[in-house]
Amino acid sequence: MIERLLIIVVVAGVIALVWMAIRTWRMWRLHSLARRTPFAGIIPPGQPAVVGFSTPGCVECRTRQAPALARLSANLGDQVTVRTLPASEYPHLVDQLGILTAPATVVIDATGVVRFVNLGFADAEKLTTQVNSIAHLVQSNPDPQTATCQG
């Protein structure tokens, strides 16, 4: 009985360590983008942007993320650029951003710096909060090192 409990504790510990390693790796990937603008030439600069990544077989991309991006665009209007990119056509961005799943969304500030990466579904409210926080981040701390990975 004690052996089984010990095995469970060890397995849980390994899972926790792997999870922490993945989170650390994702943060490092995002911070490595701090002085670069990976969306230059794809997303026009000058205002915040939200970019959704999808794949052809992603049901959640079509049924949940696309409507959430449409609501975000309707709510914020011309204050934000909202685009959806097929992940298969932008593998260099997917790799640079550490995107491991679809849907994924990326929130970019007006200078083109990545501020948030959301793996998995992100609702319109979460994206609106992130977009609204960008103005505060840029005004109070223009350092791109404040970027955040979520998901």
Side-chain angles (χ1 to χ4, degrees), residues 7 10 13 16-17 28 31 33 40-41 51 82 85 100 123 127 145 149:
I7 290 171
V10 168
L17 285 173
W28 175 81
H31 287 295
L33 294 171
V51 179
V82 178
L85 301 177
L100 305 172
D123 62 27
L127 295 170
Q145 297 295 331
C149 286

Side-chain angles (χ1 to χ4, degrees), residues 22-34 36 91-100 114 117 149:
I22 290 172
R23 300 257 324 158
T24 301
W25 172 76
R26 287 179 49 214
M27 288 298 292
W28 175 81
R29 292 284 292 233
L30 187 55
H31 287 295
S32 72
L33 294 171
R36 293 185 278 158
H92 63 288
L93 287 175
V94 170
D95 288 341
Q96 283 182 4
L97 297 166
I99 293 175
L100 305 172
V114 174
V117 176
C149 286

Side-chain angles (χ1 to χ4, degrees), residues 103-123:
T105 51
V106 180
V107 180
I108 306 160
D109 70 18
T111 65
V113 174
V114 174
R115 293 294 183 154
F116 297 95
V117 176
N118 302 296
L119 299 183
F121 171 70
D123 62 27

Side-chain angles (χ1 to χ4, degrees), residues 19 38 84-85 88 105 114 124-125 146:
W19 178 80
T84 300
L85 301 177
S88 60
T105 51
V114 174
E125 292 74 27
T146 58

